[in-house]
Amino acid sequence: MEIPRSLQILKEACERNAVAFEIVDEFSGFIARLSKNGESRLVGAAWFGVYPLNRAAPFAIARDKAFTHHVLESAGFRTPPGGHFFLSPREGWNRPPGRDRTDALRFAEKLSDKFARPLVVKPNSGKGARHVTLVSSRQSLEAAFDAIVKTDAIVLVQSLIEAPEYRLFLVDGEIVFAYGKARPAIECDGESTIAALLRARESGAYNQTFLDFQLGAAGLSLQSVLAKGRRLETDFVANLAAGGSFTGFIDPHPALRAWAARAARAVSLRVTGLDVFSSSGLADPSDIVVTDVNGSPNLSTLYDLGHKVLVMDVWRLILEKTFEEGWPKGF
């Protein structure tokens, strides 16, 4: 039976660290039991949480972006300007006034100055870049709502953040690694038009709304020829699993480590993935905007990029903490 990639990597880590690994879900292969020294832990792929150190309640809260943003903001952290709205509220939900679909439309027009600036629309419980949409009109906003309501009752409407993006991976509040992410882009050659460079790409896909915004802001068109070496971003999503690129590891300085430790305590996750924007390149933690908190951050992309040793070191640390300390503790 083919098991999910995250569990394949965990199985390899268990073999390296004398931890028994057993798939207990014979239907999908999504649930595994880890055992050592008479103790065992259940973990899972996808929505279940692959890291045995994380407790169920903080993991569930982190899956809810609106709750997570509220937690972060109350602790003094910055999140993207925006709000959450109920597209299809369930019976019995207690929701404040001003949070329905019609309110979302009015809010979006005000936040974007009547769509002079694009907005990011995403499902509240979404994972990765699925159904994350850039909108620049009321019509595209309505279409995004129609797509999201099929899988999620709550939508987030946010400003587009224009700053370098990073992923921080924390264990017990300590940054184990941090790296930069870049949006998909074309590199100009000083001779070809932007349109020609787009046609010549190996992957022809690009985000038309984002590209139009980039061109309009710079006073360019598809027929413009840009200087050799200039990079023009073609999509607003920098996730590695969604077409973004890895730009290298970052050595965290003491102020960033202190900021990260506070963030981990705020969300109560022992294994934490933080997706953040920072105009200073993480040099000044006060400008960091947290866009996503993940209680089951993906390691498979780094593994496949050739950083297998790092991934195995991370899992060794987590497995040691899991079975040396007994049941997971909060902090």
Side-chain angles (χ1 to χ4, degrees):
M1 176 178 55
E2 183 82 13
I3 64 175
R5 186 72 172 131
S6 59
L7 293 184
Q8 292 177 21
I9 294 172
L10 174 53
K11 181 180 180 181
E12 179 181 345
C14 287
E15 291 169 352
R16 290 169 173 260
N17 291 277
V19 174
F21 177 96
E22 174 194 6
I23 292 293
V24 297
D25 170 18
E26 63 184 24
F27 301 103
S28 67
F30 273 43
I31 304 297
R33 183 181 299 279
L34 315 183
S35 305
K36 187 174 183 178
N37 300 331
E39 296 186 21
S40 69
R41 305 286 186 272
L42 285 174
V43 297
W47 295 105
F48 300 112
V50 73
Y51 297 107
L53 290 176
N54 282 339
R55 291 179 291 129
F59 177 77
I61 291 170
R63 285 177 51 191
D64 187 299
K65 299 183 191 304
F67 276 137
T68 300
H69 287 177
H70 179 74
V71 168
L72 289 169
E73 291 165 6
S74 67
F77 293 93
R78 298 176 62 189
T79 63
H84 68 279
F85 300 89
F86 297 82
L87 298 178
S88 179
R90 297 171 187 166
E91 185 177 354
W93 275 8
N94 181 19
R95 64 188 193 278
R99 294 287 179 178
D100 290 326
R101 179 166 177 152
T102 54
D103 302 305
L105 296 172
R106 288 193 292 268
F107 177 86
E109 288 192 346
K110 182 176 181 181
L111 185 63
S112 65
D113 192 17
K114 295 185 178 180
F115 299 105
R117 299 178 301 277
L119 296 173
V120 177
V121 180
K122 61 180 70 173
N124 184 50
S125 59
K127 185 177 181 181
R130 181 173 172 78
H131 290 310
V132 178
T133 307
L134 194 70
V135 303
S136 58
S137 67
R138 184 183 178 106
Q139 181 180 8
S140 60
L141 180 68
E142 293 269 24
F145 287 171
D146 290 342
I148 289 172
V149 75
K150 297 175 183 177
T151 59
D152 201 322
I154 302 174
V155 64
L156 271 65
V157 178
Q158 300 175 334
S159 297
L160 175 68
I161 305 296
E162 289 291 340
E165 191 169 350
Y166 303 89
R167 161 61 65 91
L168 310 180
F169 190 104
L170 287 59
V171 177
D172 282 342
E174 292 288 333
I175 298 177
V176 179
F177 63 80
Y179 62 80
K181 300 186 288 183
R183 292 165 171 164
I186 54 172
E187 187 167 324
C188 301
D189 59 10
E191 299 177 358
S192 306
T193 64
I194 294 171
L197 292 171
L198 288 171
R199 289 194 298 269
R201 297 174 73 203
E202 290 184 10
S203 170
Y206 57 90
N207 187 287
Q208 187 68 58
T209 299
F210 181 73
L211 184 62
D212 289 345
F213 172 67
Q214 293 283 87
L215 296 177
L220 302 171
S221 75
L222 289 173
Q223 301 310 311
S224 298
V225 177
L226 302 186
K228 184 177 182 179
R230 179 167 172 179
R231 191 172 180 275
L232 179 68
E233 295 177 338
T234 58
D235 204 334
F236 70 104
V237 176
N239 289 6
L240 301 190
S245 58
F246 172 83
T247 62
F249 291 106
I250 295 162
D251 185 18
H253 53 82
L256 180 60
R257 290 186 180 278
W259 178 94
R262 287 198 305 110
R265 285 195 295 270
V267 298
S268 297
L269 287 168
R270 297 188 65 185
V271 178
T272 318
L274 298 176
D275 288 324
V276 305
F277 294 94
S278 171
S279 57
S280 69
L282 300 178
D284 179 7
S286 67
D287 75 11
I288 294 176
V289 177
V290 183
T291 184
D292 197 27
V293 175
N294 195 333
S296 193
N298 182 22
L299 287 172
S300 60
T301 305
L302 277 184
Y303 184 102
D304 294 338
L305 283 172
H307 302 288
K308 178 178 176 179
V309 173
L310 171 63
V311 171
M312 289 296 112
D313 285 345
V314 171
W315 266 118
R316 176 180 51 78
L317 173 64
I318 292 170
L319 291 172
E320 286 177 353
K321 285 178 173 286
T322 297
F323 291 104
E324 287 180 2
E325 299 177 3
W327 289 104
K329 304 175 180 65
F331 62 161

